[in-house]
Amino acid sequence: MYVAVKGGEQAIGNAHAWLAEERRGDPAVAELGIAQIREQLAQAVNRVMAEGSLYDPDLAALAIKQARGDLIEAIFLLRAYRTTLPRFGASRPVDTADMACDRRISATFKDVPGGQVLGPTFDYTHRLLDFKLAAEGEVPPAPERDPATGPVPHVTGFLNREGLIEEEPGVDTIPPDLTREPLEMPAGRPLRLQSLSRADEGFVLSMAYSTQRGYARNHAFVGELRIGAVAVEMDVPELGFAIEIGEITLTECETVNQFTGSKSEPPQFTRGYGLVFGQTERKAISMALVDRALRWEELGEDFEGAPAQDAEFVLSHADNIQATGFLEHIKLPHYVDFQAELELVRKLRREAEEVRSSALMGGLASHDGQEAAE
Amino acid sequence: MGLLAKAPEGRIAELLDARGDRPGHDWLRAPEIGSVMVRGRTGGTGAPFNLGEMTVTRCTLKLASGEVGHGYVQGRRKACATAAALVDALMQTECADAIRRAVLVPLDEEQAARRATRASKAAATKVDFFTMVRGED
């Protein structure tokens, strides 16, 4: 019989003290500063901001340091901090057409107005370890060229003009908010996009990959991928007008997908959409593919039973903080639960034993009976 | 106010204090850190959706002469929000032109320079396609 106890304070305190020491590592090695993480591990910072669903590079860098580089733990820290903040309001929807693009490429149109701008990308690198980085050294400044002035319009706009792609008419509804109301099915597209934007990158990547391999196949072209800074504007009641409250870097991906038409829609290209905090293009492309797969119902397509089409499956398992919370809790003490299980198994075994021995007795008896009958 | 919201850490205070002592003020709302839910649109142009939050610091103050200034800055920066609110209030006084020259013009120029540098680096990575010679006979 297990009797409820308490204890472990000393052990927990000592464990945390050791954690702090291990986090610091060898004191002979210089300590990592928050600014160093923010500036030099920017992709980790971007991922933590995107999945932590809070844009603040300094806080994300602090979380990464505290979590010893465990990004899911860092995301957890950021999400926890977020809940302590009062909400001042919601921004006006950001205008991604007005983005100051660091990178803007289209896989569908070579000569797109505004051009193919590669930006600071890993693409076309040879993926060979660069041992020069192991030695300290100055980086030469990046080359510059006169920037072309002129608009950088969305690529899907061109297809829209010919009517070859579905329209995205602007409306001004108040979107549902996952952080205020629990996720409920069926989830409309705005709710799905909020969920996907903060979803685990690995999970969304795998779901997107499954559609490419044939589960809910909807051959996607990257119509456009753009990364850059957009202004965030908010209506401020005390002023009576909208002001710019900051500038954030976003990655936006628009896919153009084959569509042969359905009962309700003509043959045309359809769209998938990804929008994520920071320079996070793997996630944004994945998000666009999964968004498109989840749209089967509104486009009148068949449900093929593919995981990526199943909104309940995708959205319920996409959040790594929910997932890790439930997964990791099973390592915490379950002594009383397990005691009950133990009692149950013992009881079942006792009962099974009794049944078997009585069956054995009965079997002998019937055997005797049979013999007698013969 | 957009310029003030995006100014680098400490820069507003630096420019403001360079022109002399700050005027006294009372708080109508002391600096507080909070969040704003950033929205996007489906497909870039469609229905709004909630993308995620960003940190914002805001405050409101009143000068002895009665002008009310609001400060809204990105991030967790109470000192910057205070300086931004002071600039906002002073822009309603007779020293508006001096403040514009001392604070807003330099902030604007510095921001334009930062933007131009990034745009120039991006432009240097723009692909120039050239057509391969085709064997057409």
Side-chain angles (χ1 to χ4, degrees), chain B residues 91-124:
Chain B
M91 283 301 290
Q92 301 161 51
T93 65
E94 70 269 17
C95 53
D97 277 346
I99 288 288
R100 180 176 290 112
R101 278 194 304 277
V103 181
L104 297 182
V105 170
L107 284 180
D108 190 27
E109 285 169 357
E110 287 162 16
Q111 182 188 300
R114 281 194 303 274
R115 278 181 160 248
T117 304
R118 281 199 90 80
S120 304
K121 286 178 184 168

Coordinates of all heavy atoms in Angstrom, one line a residue, chain B residues 91-124:
Chain B
M91 N 6.1 68.1 -29.2 CA 5.7 68.5 -30.6 C 4.5 69.3 -30.6 O 4.1 69.8 -31.6 CB 5.6 67.2 -31.4 CG 6.9 66.5 -31.8 SD 7.9 67.6 -32.8 CE 7.0 67.7 -34.3
Q92 N 3.8 69.4 -29.5 CA 2.5 70.2 -29.4 C 2.8 71.6 -28.8 O 1.9 72.4 -28.6 CB 1.5 69.5 -28.6 CG 1.1 68.1 -29.2 CD 0.4 67.2 -28.2 OE1 -0.6 67.6 -27.5 NE2 0.9 66.0 -28.0
T93 N 4.1 71.8 -28.4 CA 4.4 73.1 -27.8 C 5.1 74.0 -28.9 O 5.3 73.6 -30.0 CB 5.4 72.9 -26.6 OG1 6.6 72.4 -27.2 CG2 4.9 71.9 -25.6
E94 N 5.5 75.2 -28.4 CA 6.1 76.1 -29.4 C 7.5 75.6 -29.8 O 8.1 76.1 -30.8 CB 6.2 77.6 -28.8 CG 7.1 77.8 -27.7 CD 6.5 77.6 -26.3 OE1 5.4 76.9 -26.3 OE2 7.0 78.1 -25.4
C95 N 8.1 74.6 -29.1 CA 9.4 74.2 -29.5 C 9.3 73.0 -30.4 O 10.3 72.2 -30.6 CB 10.3 73.9 -28.3 SG 9.7 72.8 -27.1
A96 N 8.2 72.8 -31.1 CA 8.0 71.7 -32.0 C 9.0 71.7 -33.1 O 9.6 70.6 -33.4 CB 6.6 71.8 -32.6
D97 N 9.3 72.8 -33.7 CA 10.3 72.8 -34.8 C 11.7 72.4 -34.3 O 12.4 71.7 -35.0 CB 10.4 74.2 -35.4 CG 9.3 74.5 -36.4 OD1 8.7 73.5 -36.8 OD2 9.0 75.6 -36.8
A98 N 12.1 72.9 -33.1 CA 13.4 72.5 -32.6 C 13.4 71.0 -32.3 O 14.4 70.4 -32.6 CB 13.6 73.3 -31.3
I99 N 12.4 70.5 -31.8 CA 12.3 69.0 -31.5 C 12.4 68.2 -32.8 O 13.1 67.2 -32.9 CB 11.0 68.7 -30.7 CG1 11.1 69.2 -29.3 CG2 10.8 67.2 -30.7 CD1 12.1 68.5 -28.4
R100 N 11.6 68.7 -33.8 CA 11.7 68.0 -35.1 C 13.1 68.0 -35.6 O 13.6 66.9 -36.0 CB 10.7 68.7 -36.1 CG 10.7 68.0 -37.5 CD 9.7 68.7 -38.4 NE 8.4 68.4 -38.1 CZ 7.5 69.3 -37.7 NH1 7.9 70.6 -37.6 NH2 6.3 69.0 -37.4
R101 N 13.8 69.1 -35.6 CA 15.2 69.1 -36.1 C 16.1 68.3 -35.2 O 17.0 67.6 -35.8 CB 15.7 70.6 -36.1 CG 15.2 71.4 -37.4 CD 16.1 72.7 -37.5 NE 16.0 73.5 -36.3 CZ 15.0 74.4 -36.1 NH1 14.0 74.5 -36.9 NH2 15.0 75.1 -35.0
A102 N 15.9 68.3 -33.9 CA 16.9 67.7 -33.0 C 16.6 66.2 -32.9 O 17.5 65.4 -32.7 CB 16.8 68.3 -31.6
V103 N 15.4 65.7 -33.0 CA 15.1 64.3 -32.8 C 14.5 63.6 -34.0 O 15.1 62.6 -34.5 CB 14.1 64.2 -31.6 CG1 13.8 62.7 -31.3 CG2 14.6 64.9 -30.4
L104 N 13.4 64.1 -34.6 CA 12.7 63.4 -35.6 C 13.5 63.3 -36.9 O 13.6 62.3 -37.6 CB 11.3 64.0 -35.9 CG 10.4 63.9 -34.6 CD1 9.0 64.5 -35.0 CD2 10.3 62.5 -34.1
V105 N 14.1 64.5 -37.3 CA 14.9 64.5 -38.6 C 16.0 63.5 -38.5 O 16.2 62.6 -39.4 CB 15.3 65.9 -39.0 CG1 16.3 65.9 -40.1 CG2 14.1 66.8 -39.3
P106 N 16.9 63.5 -37.4 CA 18.0 62.5 -37.4 C 17.4 61.1 -37.4 O 18.0 60.2 -38.0 CB 18.7 62.8 -36.1 CG 18.3 64.2 -35.7 CD 17.0 64.5 -36.3
L107 N 16.3 60.8 -36.6 CA 15.8 59.5 -36.6 C 15.3 59.0 -38.0 O 15.6 57.9 -38.4 CB 14.6 59.4 -35.6 CG 14.8 59.4 -34.1 CD1 13.5 59.3 -33.4 CD2 15.7 58.2 -33.7
D108 N 14.7 59.9 -38.7 CA 14.2 59.6 -40.0 C 15.4 59.3 -41.0 O 15.4 58.4 -41.7 CB 13.4 60.9 -40.6 CG 12.7 60.5 -41.8 OD1 12.4 59.3 -42.0 OD2 12.4 61.4 -42.6
E109 N 16.5 60.2 -40.9 CA 17.6 59.9 -41.7 C 18.3 58.6 -41.4 O 18.7 57.9 -42.3 CB 18.6 61.1 -41.6 CG 18.1 62.4 -42.2 CD 19.0 63.6 -41.9 OE1 19.9 63.5 -41.0 OE2 18.7 64.7 -42.4
E110 N 18.4 58.3 -40.1 CA 19.1 57.1 -39.7 C 18.3 55.9 -40.2 O 18.9 54.9 -40.7 CB 19.3 57.1 -38.2 CG 20.4 58.0 -37.7 CD 20.3 58.3 -36.2 OE1 19.6 57.6 -35.5 OE2 20.9 59.3 -35.8
Q111 N 17.0 56.0 -40.1 CA 16.1 54.9 -40.5 C 16.2 54.7 -42.0 O 16.3 53.6 -42.5 CB 14.7 55.1 -40.1 CG 13.8 53.9 -40.5 CD 12.3 54.2 -40.2 OE1 11.9 54.5 -39.1 NE2 11.5 54.2 -41.3
A112 N 16.2 55.8 -42.7 CA 16.3 55.7 -44.2 C 17.6 55.1 -44.6 O 17.7 54.3 -45.5 CB 16.1 57.1 -44.8
A113 N 18.7 55.5 -43.9 CA 20.0 54.9 -44.2 C 20.1 53.4 -44.0 O 20.6 52.6 -44.8 CB 21.1 55.6 -43.4
R114 N 19.5 53.0 -42.8 CA 19.4 51.5 -42.5 C 18.7 50.8 -43.6 O 19.1 49.7 -44.1 CB 18.8 51.3 -41.2 CG 19.7 51.5 -40.0 CD 19.1 50.9 -38.7 NE 17.8 51.4 -38.4 CZ 17.5 52.5 -37.7 NH1 18.5 53.3 -37.3 NH2 16.3 52.9 -37.5
R115 N 17.5 51.3 -44.0 CA 16.7 50.7 -45.0 C 17.4 50.6 -46.4 O 17.4 49.6 -47.1 CB 15.4 51.5 -45.2 CG 14.4 51.2 -44.2 CD 13.1 52.0 -44.5 NE 12.0 51.3 -43.9 CZ 11.0 50.7 -44.5 NH1 10.9 50.8 -45.8 NH2 10.0 50.1 -43.8
A116 N 18.1 51.8 -46.7 CA 18.8 51.8 -48.0 C 19.9 50.8 -48.1 O 20.1 50.2 -49.1 CB 19.3 53.2 -48.2
T117 N 20.6 50.6 -46.9 CA 21.7 49.7 -46.9 C 21.2 48.2 -47.2 O 21.7 47.5 -48.0 CB 22.4 49.7 -45.6 OG1 22.9 51.1 -45.3 CG2 23.6 48.8 -45.5
R118 N 20.1 47.9 -46.5 CA 19.5 46.5 -46.7 C 19.0 46.4 -48.1 O 19.2 45.4 -48.7 CB 18.4 46.3 -45.7 CG 18.8 45.9 -44.3 CD 17.7 45.2 -43.5 NE 17.7 43.8 -43.7 CZ 18.5 43.0 -43.1 NH1 19.4 43.4 -42.2 NH2 18.4 41.7 -43.3
A119 N 18.4 47.4 -48.6 CA 17.8 47.4 -50.0 C 19.0 47.2 -51.0 O 18.8 46.5 -52.0 CB 17.0 48.6 -50.3
S120 N 20.1 47.9 -50.7 CA 21.2 47.8 -51.7 C 21.8 46.4 -51.6 O 22.3 45.9 -52.6 CB 22.3 48.8 -51.3 OG 21.8 50.1 -51.3
K121 N 21.9 45.8 -50.4 CA 22.5 44.5 -50.3 C 21.5 43.5 -51.0 O 22.0 42.5 -51.7 CB 22.7 44.1 -48.8 CG 23.9 44.8 -48.2 CD 24.0 44.5 -46.8 CE 25.2 45.3 -46.2 NZ 25.3 45.3 -44.8
A122 N 20.2 43.7 -50.8 CA 19.3 42.8 -51.5 C 19.4 42.9 -53.0 O 19.4 41.9 -53.7 CB 17.8 43.1 -51.0
A123 N 19.5 44.2 -53.5 CA 19.6 44.4 -54.9 C 20.8 43.7 -55.5 O 20.8 43.3 -56.6 CB 19.7 45.9 -55.2
A124 N 21.9 43.6 -54.7 CA 23.1 43.0 -55.2 C 22.9 41.5 -55.4 O 23.7 40.8 -56.0 CB 24.3 43.2 -54.2

